[in-house]
Amino acid sequence: MASRAARALRRFEPPPRAVDWSIFALVVFETLSGVLSLGAGHPANGVLFVAHGVAGLSLILLVGFKLYRVRHRVLDSRLRDRHTALSVLLAVVALAALGTGVAWVLGVEVRIAFWTLLNVHIGFGLLVLPVLFVHLRARFRPPRRVDFADRRRALQYGAILVFGAATYRATETVGSLRGVGRRFTGSRPLPPGEGNDAFPVTSWVADDPDPVDPDSWSLSVAGLVDRPLELDRGDLAPDETWSALLDCTSGWYTEQDWTGVRLGDALDTAGFHSSARWVTVRSVTGFRWSFPIAEAREMLLATRVGGDPLSHGHGAPLRLVAPNRRGFQWVKWVDTVEVRRRRDPAQWLAVLVSGFG
């Protein structure tokens, strides 16, 4: 029975070189789509997460073909060479990335230190690509047209994608049956609650400043404006309360009432130039993010959450509330709003080094 199943499965297996390059293509796609998903908070981005999941599960089948093919080179000590250890490392990292992703969808609850299983999945996923590139240097074989170009190959890849899509649907169904409620981003809901204690304190990379002195703090509104502003606490009397959902890339979400002032009101008071297209919101840590000006006008500069004054960990004295954006884009400890003609290119460096200064 097992041998018949193995023979039937091999009918769906593309040639070795096609498998290898298909794995490479899917790993690149998974890395890029995974990175893009970290900033995809709008429901319209849901297709990106579906594609990421289907591609990842299709990758499982291709990795299975690959491991079955090379198993003797690993298990038989006489066939090992100086690159075998790297091949084993790549297999372990790839299987860890795929396994933790599936486990998260199925509702497995595991924490490693303060990291959720989703954090671990992201970490392994980011590690796969550089290890794969090093592996390719050791065992590079260029792709050949003959390995991809015929009707049978199209049927094989069609079957692999059907497997990925069917498995994706099955894991989603199993997760639902286990009572795992997730948004399209994969994030799970936190228990009901209000205010600072209702959701965890998280920071991007090394952002962990000392508490900001509210008496010496001020908000600068500058850039392409007619009247640059320096606003202290007294100038920012909160006058609006919004219900908005905070979706953290650590894998949780919460819906809270946020109180503050509309960012659009501050921009209107400063008066922005007709050439302005972007608004950069910056933290005291140097972390920043840029938003199209029309979207930024509909954001909130919050001083309270759930009726409580913001705690330091949640961004006091002022944090951005950015609906339909992921949590790391809800900039905390805001001290500057800059109106710009173009997106701030320094934000890409800031996300890596902010907080280290």
Side-chain angles (χ1 to χ4, degrees):
M1 177 70 75
S3 62
R4 283 203 303 270
R7 284 197 299 271
L9 191 59
R10 279 199 291 274
R11 292 171 56 193
F12 294 100
E13 181 180 359
R17 203 169 298 196
V19 169
D20 294 347
W21 283 101
S22 299
I23 289 174
F24 176 77
L26 283 180
V27 167
V28 171
F29 174 80
E30 287 293 87
T31 302
L32 293 176
S33 61
V35 170
L36 289 174
S37 74
L38 296 177
H42 196 282
N45 303 133
V47 66
L48 175 66
F49 294 86
V50 174
H52 183 81
V54 171
L57 292 166
S58 300
L59 186 57
I60 289 177
L61 191 57
L62 290 168
V63 169
F65 289 146
K66 171 76 172 181
L67 293 179
Y68 185 79
R69 189 178 82 235
V70 303
R71 67 191 187 283
H72 296 302
R73 295 212 307 257
V74 175
L75 298 176
D76 190 338
S77 60
R78 294 170 300 178
L79 301 177
R80 295 173 192 161
D81 59 25
R82 61 193 181 91
H83 303 301
T84 300
L86 180 62
S87 300
V88 171
L89 174 63
L90 176 60
V92 169
V93 173
L95 291 173
L98 294 168
T100 50
V102 172
W104 177 261
V105 172
L106 294 177
V108 176
E109 293 283 354
V110 175
R111 274 190 171 270
I112 300 176
F114 53 85
W115 289 299
T116 66
L117 203 58
L118 183 59
N119 294 138
V120 177
H121 167 68
I122 293 170
F124 277 121
L126 292 174
L127 186 58
V128 170
L129 191 58
V131 177
L132 179 57
F133 272 116
V134 177
H135 174 76
L136 276 175
R137 289 186 61 190
R139 302 195 185 278
F140 181 81
R141 294 186 302 167
R144 301 177 304 183
R145 188 185 187 92
V146 67
D147 293 320
F148 296 92
D150 65 33
R151 181 172 176 273
R152 183 181 181 186
R153 210 68 65 240
L155 292 174
Q156 288 172 329
Y157 279 102
I160 290 170
L161 288 175
V162 168
F163 168 83
T167 308
Y168 176 84
R169 174 50 58 191
T171 56
E172 291 287 324
T173 300
V174 172
S176 297
L177 291 175
R178 295 191 62 202
V180 181
R182 298 185 305 119
R183 294 190 80 219
F184 67 91
T185 60
S187 295
R188 300 173 184 168
L190 293 176
E194 295 182 351
N196 290 295
D197 296 332
F199 56 105
V201 170
T202 59
S203 293
W204 183 257
V205 190
D207 275 359
D208 186 22
D210 292 331
V212 179
D213 181 2
D215 294 325
S216 61
W217 170 89
S218 65
L219 172 68
S220 172
V221 182
L224 298 176
V225 297
D226 299 322
R227 297 172 295 279
L229 304 177
E230 284 292 333
L231 307 174
D232 60 24
R233 282 194 306 164
D235 299 318
L236 293 169
D239 58 359
E240 292 202 27
T241 297
W242 296 358
S243 178
L245 187 145
L246 172 60
D247 186 334
C248 182
T249 52
S250 293
W252 54 263
Y253 72 88
T254 181
E255 189 164 359
Q256 297 288 328
D257 289 333
W258 305 86
T259 302
V261 298
R262 285 183 66 250
L263 178 51
D265 291 343
L267 295 175
D268 289 342
T269 301
F272 52 88
H273 296 182
S274 59
S275 61
R277 296 291 181 270
W278 293 85
V279 174
T280 297
V281 181
R282 191 176 69 195
S283 168
V284 299
T285 67
F287 181 86
R288 67 199 70 177
W289 203 259
S290 300
F291 307 93
I293 196 164
E295 182 184 4
R297 287 178 55 79
E298 302 305 318
M299 295 178 178
L300 191 74
L301 296 169
T303 59
R304 306 176 71 88
V305 58
D308 299 334
L310 282 173
S311 67
H312 167 64
H314 287 311
L318 195 69
R319 83 172 293 166
L320 184 67
V321 173
N324 292 323
R325 292 279 187 161
R326 302 302 295 278
F328 78 94
Q329 295 165 325
W330 291 40
V331 183
K332 298 196 287 188
W333 310 295
V334 175
D335 70 351
T336 303
V337 171
E338 183 184 9
V339 182
R340 301 176 57 90
R341 192 170 286 109
R342 298 179 180 85
R343 186 198 301 260
D344 186 353
Q347 72 182 31
W348 306 109
L349 178 62
V351 298
L352 299 175
V353 303
S354 66
F356 286 107

